[in-house]
Amino acid sequence: MAKWTAFPYDAADYTYSAATLKKHWARLHIGDAEPWPKDEAVQAAWVLYHSGQFQKAVEAGLKAGGAGVNVANRAQSIYANYLEKSEKTKLALFEEVAARAEAQAAAEPKNANAWYQMAYALGRYSQGISVAKALAQGLGSKVKNALETTIKLEPKHADAHIGLGAFHAEVIDKVGKLLGKTQGADAATGLKMYKQALKLNPGSAIAMVEYANGLVMLEGDKKMAEAEQLYADAAACEAMDAMERLDIEMAKAELED
């Protein structure tokens, strides 16, 4: 495995022990509803993930196996989305996660985050190759089904609600309402999903950023002021781990554009 780009910020505030991680687990995992792992090796992998040591988290998670696959998939996808510079490498990392998560979901059909990680990786991969091309390959229905399955298994999965909102918004934005309807995309459903995500996880910077993006895609300039307020609210959030810091920095970048 080639050396990955290091997390570019000071991670001192995001460095946990297994004991302190358990104490903050509910807050850190309000978005994905991941249960606290009993396996100490998996706990150690999550410690690496939350501190931004994404490559080590992948290696440790895969080595631990079982619930460790969830942390490996999450770490690889977050790294690919935020830190990988090469578009080709990024797409390959997402493809790898999608395949791994799909196999995991087949083996453990009640594992909500196996379905979610498959959807997240395929969704980001689809954005990378163009949403229209992804829809032509049948990836849209695969993403939608995986997200709906996640929510069915875990109704409080805020991140899956964000993902489903983004699915509806992206499809309509890229191919229009009429063609979007053939893919099961609906503007009202998309907005409802974003709002539900924020209701489940009101302090989530990424929920605010994605909702802002969705508003602009679905409603255009008339919602720009509301979107900018959401970016500002996201930028003002306080990070408790490396991923949240990356989300907040992204919100700050949106405000500057």
Side-chain angles (χ1 to χ4, degrees):
M1 191 184 278
K3 191 165 174 61
W4 289 2
T5 302
F7 178 68
Y9 307 103
D10 182 5
D13 291 342
Y14 322 130
T15 303
Y16 297 92
S17 64
T20 57
L21 180 61
K22 187 176 184 181
K23 184 181 174 184
H24 294 287
W25 187 263
R27 159 63 181 80
L28 286 164
H29 288 272
I30 192 170
D32 68 357
E34 177 76 13
W36 171 251
K38 293 172 184 172
D39 186 337
E40 288 182 5
V42 180
Q43 293 169 18
W46 279 113
V47 165
L48 291 165
Y49 165 80
H50 287 294
S51 69
Q53 297 182 71
F54 298 122
Q55 188 167 23
K56 287 183 178 178
V58 172
E59 291 165 354
L62 293 177
K63 188 177 178 183
V69 178
N70 281 0
V71 60
N73 286 343
R74 188 171 180 87
Q76 186 163 323
S77 282
I78 294 302
Y79 169 78
N81 190 51
Y82 292 93
L83 297 175
E84 177 52 53
K85 304 285 194 297
S86 160
E87 196 62 29
K88 185 181 176 184
T89 303
K90 183 183 291 192
L91 292 175
L93 289 169
F94 284 136
E95 279 188 297
E96 195 173 85
V97 172
R100 202 159 56 213
E102 187 169 15
Q104 186 188 20
E108 305 170 45
K110 291 185 178 179
N111 185 333
N113 276 318
W115 291 98
Y116 173 71
Q117 288 300 330
M118 175 170 66
Y120 184 93
L122 284 176
R124 294 301 189 194
Y125 175 82
S126 297
Q127 288 173 325
I129 65 168
S130 95
V131 170
K133 191 181 283 187
L135 292 175
Q137 292 177 15
L139 296 180
S141 57
K142 207 167 180 178
V143 169
K144 185 171 181 280
N145 175 64
L147 289 168
E148 288 172 345
T149 303
T150 305
I151 293 169
K152 189 176 178 183
L153 290 168
E154 181 44 79
K156 292 184 178 179
H157 201 297
D159 292 350
H161 284 84
I162 296 170
L164 201 47
F167 165 82
H168 289 282
E170 287 270 8
V171 171
I172 290 168
D173 180 57
K174 300 303 185 294
V175 302
K177 287 187 178 180
L178 202 61
L179 274 175
K181 196 175 280 188
T182 66
Q183 297 288 335
D186 172 73
T189 303
L191 292 172
K192 181 182 168 188
M193 289 294 153
Y194 286 126
K195 287 174 184 172
Q196 181 62 12
L198 273 171
K199 189 176 175 184
L200 290 166
N201 190 5
S204 169
I206 191 60
M208 295 173 202
V209 169
E210 291 286 0
Y211 185 24
N213 293 343
L215 280 174
V216 174
M217 283 189 276
L218 293 170
E219 304 280 353
D221 289 347
K222 65 181 179 179
K223 289 291 184 179
M224 190 60 73
E226 191 177 338
E228 286 177 353
Q229 185 58 55
L230 282 162
Y231 291 136
D233 290 344
C237 287
E238 189 177 340
M240 278 194 68
D241 77 348
M243 186 201 74
E244 290 182 9
R245 177 66 186 274
L246 291 167
D247 290 335
I248 291 165
E249 294 299 327
M250 181 170 62
K252 289 177 182 175
E254 289 288 355
L255 279 174
E256 288 169 8
D257 283 348

